Amino acid sequence: MSHRKFERPRHGSLGFCPRKRCAHHKGKVRSFPRDDPKKPCHLTAFMGYKAGMTHIVRDVDKPGSKQHKKESVEAVTIIETPPMIVVGIVGYVRTPRGLRSLTTVWAKHLSDEFKRRYYKNWYKSKSRKAFTKYTKEESEKQKDFDKELARIAKYCEVVRVVAHTQLSKTGLSQKKAHVMEIQVNGGSSKDKVEFGKNLFEKEVPV
């Protein structure tokens, strides 16, 4: 721009710079919605896969604009959202330095889609022992399972469920599921734990 003879406006938004591939193709939840104890318990996020794009014709409702009450063609993204499966609960305690996880409780039966996430190469791994020790202990000690849930209900302010996607229900060739924590909002801590516990090993639709 230093050797232009005449001034002219630049082209394109600088908000999209640098134009390069993203480092992580999976998005990250920067902040969950503010919690309101008066509302019933509900999940605050979901994960989907971009399936493609198309266009729609919509009526513009923008008083003062030339387009007001006229039809407009816009590009839209189609997102495929197969049901997610809840496999765990995490409890967080508030500290002067932010949130600290108190404990995590996992479901007894975990699918291979979820376990693949813990292996670099599922095919070459011989043992595949992820969560085998945990599930064996939990099947023998139901008291510990209930005790940890009671600890979360008693001490934790923030309760999140661990859920994974079902790639087998998409058209993708990948078999390794994507895992994320989803915050439970609404109700008391006890209600949140009970809500998350009831979702264990169940499909959660959008």
Side-chain angles (χ1 to χ4, degrees):
M1 293 195 192
S2 57
H3 298 293
R4 280 202 183 136
K5 194 169 183 180
F6 302 105
E7 288 185 12
R8 66 169 189 148
R10 60 161 286 103
H11 302 304
S13 170
L14 287 168
F16 294 98
C17 289
R19 293 180 185 275
K20 63 176 185 178
R21 289 183 186 273
C22 59
H24 307 281
H25 73 276
K26 192 183 92 170
K28 189 178 180 182
V29 180
R30 299 280 174 172
S31 62
F32 288 99
R34 191 179 292 274
D35 191 10
D36 186 1
K38 294 173 185 175
K39 291 181 180 178
C41 292
H42 59 278
L43 299 177
T44 53
F46 205 82
M47 200 183 286
Y49 298 93
K50 182 176 176 178
M53 292 189 75
T54 184
H55 63 272
I56 57 164
V57 179
R58 73 177 184 96
D59 292 319
V60 179
D61 183 28
K62 199 174 181 183
S65 170
K66 287 182 180 181
Q67 286 283 90
H68 184 53
K69 291 189 176 178
K70 288 183 180 178
E71 288 187 340
S72 172
V73 179
E74 291 183 1
V76 291
T77 304
I78 299 166
I79 298 173
E80 195 174 349
T81 53
M84 295 181 77
I85 294 178
V86 176
V87 290
I89 295 179
V90 190
Y92 288 91
V93 182
R94 289 197 192 278
T95 67
R97 290 178 291 177
L99 294 174
R100 179 180 68 83
S101 64
L102 181 72
T103 185
T104 308
V105 179
W106 297 98
K108 291 176 183 176
H109 305 288
L110 304 169
S111 66
D112 282 350
E113 269 185 319
F114 171 70
K115 288 179 184 176
R116 278 174 184 268
R117 178 50 57 188
Y118 293 89
Y119 291 86
K120 177 79 174 174
N121 192 322
W122 176 262
Y123 178 75
K124 285 185 179 178
S125 59
K126 295 174 184 176
S127 57
R128 298 181 188 172
K129 287 187 176 180
F131 289 97
T132 50
K133 191 177 177 183
Y134 179 86
T135 50
K136 187 182 177 184
E137 286 177 0
E138 285 305 311
S139 60
E140 292 171 1
K141 301 175 184 177
Q142 179 65 28
K143 285 183 181 178
D144 290 355
F145 180 81
D146 297 329
K147 188 180 176 183
E148 290 300 303
L149 288 175
R151 276 184 73 209
I152 294 172
K154 186 178 180 182
Y155 299 109
C156 297
E157 288 183 44
V158 177
V159 178
R160 294 175 185 169
V161 296
V162 181
H164 72 84
T165 57
Q166 297 186 81
L167 278 158
S168 58
K169 295 194 175 182
T170 65
L172 300 170
S173 59
Q174 183 177 321
K175 295 177 183 177
K176 191 185 286 187
H178 291 98
V179 185
M180 75 177 293
E181 285 185 9
I182 303 172
Q183 189 161 303
V184 180
N185 279 1
S188 63
S189 294
K190 191 177 180 181
D191 296 336
K192 289 172 185 172
V193 171
E194 194 62 34
F195 176 78
K197 184 185 172 185
N198 292 335
L199 291 176
F200 266 19
E201 298 173 34
K202 291 180 182 174
E203 290 190 343
V204 180
V206 182

